[in-house]
Structures are given as C-alpha cells and as structure tokens.
Amino acid sequence: MKKNFLIWDLPLRLFHWSFAASIMLLWLTSELGTDYIDWHLKLGYFVLTLVSFRLVWGFVGPQHARFFSFFPTPRKVISYLKNKDQVYAGHNPVGSLMVFAMLLLVLVQGVSGLFVDDEVFTSGPYFNSAGAEIDSLMRTLHFNTFDFILAAIALHIAAIAFYKIIKKQNLTKAMVTGQKSSQGLKESDEIPHSKLFVAFIVAILACAFIYWLVVINPPPLEEFYY
Ligand code: HEM
Ligand code: HEM
C-alpha cells in the first residue's frame, strides 16, 4: 500500500487558502476606513464567488469535498466523541460542524454586505432597493456577524493546534499538499484525482453568477450629485 494518499483535491485547497486570506483582508479593509472601501467591496465579491464555488463543489467535487460525505449527523458526532482516536480521511464530525458554520457565517456576512452603505459615498449594489426594514436588518447582520466569524476562526485554529501538539497530526500540511499518511485509512479513502476540468467549469459558473448578482441584476444607482 502507498505511504500517502491524496485526500484534499487541489481546487478545495486553493479555495481554503484564498478564502482564509480574503477574510483577513476584508477585516483589514473594513478597519482602514473609507480609502480602502473599494477594495473591501471587491474582496467581498471575490469571497461570494469562492463560497458559490464551494457550495457547488460540495455536490460535484471529489469524495472528501462532498457535503454528504462529512455531514455531521448526531450519530456520527456521538461516535466521534466516544472514540476520538478514530482516524478520518476527510473532516471529522466535529470539525465538519465548524466547516458548515464557517461557510454559513461568511455567506451571511457577504450577502448582507450587498445591502449596506458606509454612510459616506460607497454602498453595496442592493442598498436602498429592498426597503428600509431589510436594509436595517442587513446592516445589523453585517456589523455583528463578523464577531462570530472571528470566534469560529479562533476555535478552528485552536482545534488545528490541538491536533498538531497533542495528537501529533499535522492537518495543515495536508491542507497544503493534499496528502495524508495512509496509516489507518482504506484504499478507497484516496481520491483518484482533483477533477480539475469540472472545477474549471464550476469556477466559471460561480464568476458568471456573481457578475450577474452584483453588476447585471442590481437596480440602477440613484444620482444625487449632478
Ligand atoms: C493559519 C490559519 C489557518 C489554518 C492553519 C487552517 C487550516 C485548516 C485545515 C488543516 C483544515 C482541514 C481541517 C480538517 O482536516 O478537517 C481547514 C479547513 C477549513 N478552514 Fe481553515 N485554516 C486557517 C484559517 C482559516 C480561516 C481564516 C478560515 C475562514 C473562515 C478558514 C476556513 C476553513 C474552512 C471553511 C475549512 C473547510 C474546508 C472545506 O472543506 O471547504 N480557515 N483549515
Ligand atoms: C464575506 C465578506 C465580507 C466580510 C468578511 C466583511 C466584513 C466587514 C466588517 C468586519 C465590517 C466592519 C463592521 C464594523 O465596523 O463592525 C464591514 C463593513 C462594511 N462592509 Fe463588509 N464584509 C464583507 C463583504 C462585503 C460586501 C460584499 C460589501 C458590499 C458590496 C460590503 C460592504 C461593507 C460596507 C459598506 C461596510 C461599512 C464600512 C464603514 O461604515 O466604514 N462588505 N465589512
């Protein structure tokens, strides 16, 4: 049997590291003030594209990228908590709860951003288009969800450090190279390849969808300054 198995496909790894970097930059650009708000919006659209890609990849990607393969049913979570030494090729059931939580929180943050404004010159493409109540709800969501995202990231990184220090498993290396030691795994746990062609098509569809969402579909801007 081979020493290492390919577990995380390349598109999923590219998704992960661009997602992580963009979230940090979105935080930075929101703190730096109005000069950086254009970058904030562009990065926000990029993250919405990444999440759209990931949502589709969760159905058509290779085995360990698929939501059904790591969906955290109560039975799976209890079985993991009873025996934490079980080896998982993909996300373990508690980790997968976190994966769903992070994707959902970032989706809420990104979608709500489309409806907010910075009270200076810049606003999301749907600001003022859905009524004052929706705008106010979206504003509350956009200005509060990020605290939960930060808490989730802190737990995420703490869990990965726990695996590294206490359980001596380097999950980060696997998220970089895609490979995990085959010890304790079955031959069928290895994915044959990264499905790059399918990923390319899904990426184009995700870009087209976000282009439609933020450029084509929004109502025209009201002109206040002539
Ligand atoms: C230094 C920072 C980070 C490291 C070392 C890291 C590492 C990892 C690792 C090793 C996994 C796979 C976990 C497993 O084996 O089950 C993972 C998954 C994941 N991480 Fe991170 N991560 C970092 C930052 C972030 C940030 C900032 C986010 C943004 C919210 C994030 C979101 C995710 C998501 C959504 C997954 C699931 C991947 C998928 O199936 O799509 N990570 N991360
Ligand atoms: C998932 C991606 C996004 C993240 C992580 C994010 C994060 C943030 C954070 C942390 C803030 C500061 C909130 C506060 O001060 O409490 C903020 C403000 C803001 N965001 Fe986002 N955002 C994202 C996407 C978007 C999008 C797509 C848009 C618009 C199209 C947008 C527009 C704005 C605006 C206009 C502000 C107000 C800035 C100000 O008043 O200074 N954001 N965002």
Side-chain angles (χ1 to χ4, degrees):
M1 196 156 97
K2 280 202 257 172
K3 218 169 144 253
N4 291 312
F5 282 167
L6 179 63
I7 297 296
W8 302 122
D9 55 84
L10 180 64
L12 185 129
R13 284 177 275 145
L14 288 176
F15 159 81
H16 177 266
W17 295 113
S18 355
F19 189 65
S22 314
I23 302 287
M24 292 298 118
L25 289 173
L26 274 153
W27 187 19
L28 187 71
T29 51
S30 75
E31 296 290 328
L32 287 176
T34 42
D35 286 353
Y36 289 85
I37 193 73
D38 282 351
W39 282 104
H40 185 81
L41 266 59
K42 284 184 185 128
L43 282 161
Y45 301 147
F46 179 59
V47 164
L48 282 172
T49 312
L50 287 176
V51 176
S52 311
F53 171 86
R54 183 63 184 95
L55 291 181
V56 179
W57 202 234
F59 293 95
V60 303
Q63 186 185 347
H64 304 294
R66 291 190 181 219
F67 297 137
F68 286 119
S69 79
F70 60 85
F71 193 80
T73 59
R75 191 201 289 195
K76 284 199 222 164
V77 174
I78 292 165
S79 146
Y80 169 75
L81 292 175
K82 277 193 188 149
N83 176 10
K84 289 199 215 58
D85 290 329
Q86 288 177 71
V87 181
Y88 289 85
H91 300 303
N92 73 50
V94 173
S96 64
L97 278 173
M98 207 59 199
V99 174
F100 284 108
M102 287 195 286
L103 291 175
L104 185 69
L105 285 169
V106 173
L107 185 64
V108 169
Q109 182 79 22
V111 170
S112 59
L114 301 173
F115 293 80
V116 300
D117 79 326
D118 69 351
E119 290 166 335
V120 190
F121 291 117
T122 313
S123 52
Y126 290 92
F127 174 68
N128 246 344
S129 71
E133 261 177 46
I134 299 284
D135 277 2
S136 140
L137 169 71
M138 293 299 184
R139 193 170 179 81
T140 308
L141 285 174
H142 203 71
F143 281 72
N144 292 291
T145 308
F146 200 68
D147 292 343
F148 294 94
I149 296 181
L150 282 181
I153 293 174
L155 276 174
H156 176 58
I157 293 176
I160 284 154
F162 170 81
Y163 265 83
K164 174 90 177 74
I165 297 162
I166 311 286
K167 300 186 97 180
K168 310 279 178 229
Q169 283 182 38
N170 192 339
L171 300 181
T172 307
K173 193 166 155 225
M175 213 9 121
V176 174
T177 63
Q179 310 266 338
K180 275 190 180 177
S181 157
S182 62
Q183 243 183 9
L185 300 182
K186 307 185 291 299
E187 299 259 1
S188 59
D189 286 328
E190 179 164 49
I191 57 167
H193 54 79
S194 285
K195 292 181 128 182
L196 290 183
F197 182 68
V198 183
F200 179 68
I201 304 286
V202 177
I204 290 182
L205 289 176
C207 292
F209 171 62
I210 296 302
Y211 185 77
W212 171 82
L213 187 73
V214 304
V215 179
I216 299 179
N217 190 50
L221 267 182
E222 281 177 44
E223 288 291 342
F224 293 107
Y225 307 98
Y226 294 99

